[in-house]
Amino acid sequence: MNASQQGLRAASPAPGAGGAPELNPEQIAMLRGLRKGALLPQLLRTYRDQVPQQLANMAAAAAAGDIATLGGVAHSLKSASYSIGATRMGDLCAAIETAVRQGDNAAGPSQCAALAAAWERLRPELEGYLPP
């Protein structure tokens, strides 16, 4: 086992508040097996560091009625979320994208609030996969 793999915790972190894991265990296992374990912490750190700004950008766009920006950021966050196994976050972003395509900007603020709440459930679990 190399240093990168040793830094990752062997056991899965505690599941989210609902009892089910926020991160897909199969996706995490697949990512853990890539690049001798070095890819998973890199992806999770990048995701963790970028999500707060993306959420802020989405909330500002929703408040301003800028559905083009809202949809673009939602698309980017959706892809990143699915790539690390954050399915709930990805699904919420997909719902925002659908609303944007349908021209529904009224739901934007509430959808952004739901996404921010999902991030708060996901973050502790994600942190549990990172080395101390």
Side-chain angles (χ1 to χ4, degrees):
M1 180 178 290
N2 67 30
S4 294
Q5 289 170 315
Q6 288 173 354
L8 290 174
R9 298 185 182 136
S12 296
E22 294 293 323
L23 291 168
N24 180 312
E26 289 82 20
Q27 184 72 4
I28 292 295
M30 186 275 299
L31 291 171
R32 187 176 272 148
L34 298 176
R35 289 189 23 214
K36 299 179 182 176
L39 185 60
L40 179 62
Q42 289 175 336
L43 288 175
L44 294 181
R45 272 190 210 96
T46 299
Y47 185 86
R48 177 198 63 197
D49 295 346
Q50 292 179 355
V51 167
Q53 185 61 53
Q54 289 177 309
L55 292 176
N57 291 344
M58 290 174 71
D66 182 356
I67 62 173
T69 297
L70 178 60
V73 179
H75 178 76
S76 175
L77 184 54
K78 176 188 75 174
S79 299
S81 297
Y82 285 144
S83 75
I84 67 159
T87 307
R88 184 184 326 256
M89 291 279 292
D91 290 348
L92 289 167
C93 289
I96 292 170
E97 276 190 297
T98 298
V100 165
R101 277 195 302 276
Q102 295 171 347
D104 178 11
N105 61 352
S110 65
Q111 289 174 318
C112 287
L115 191 58
W119 168 240
E120 292 305 317
R121 288 188 303 273
L122 169 63
R123 186 173 39 187
E125 185 176 330
L126 184 147
E127 293 283 351
Y129 282 103
L130 294 173

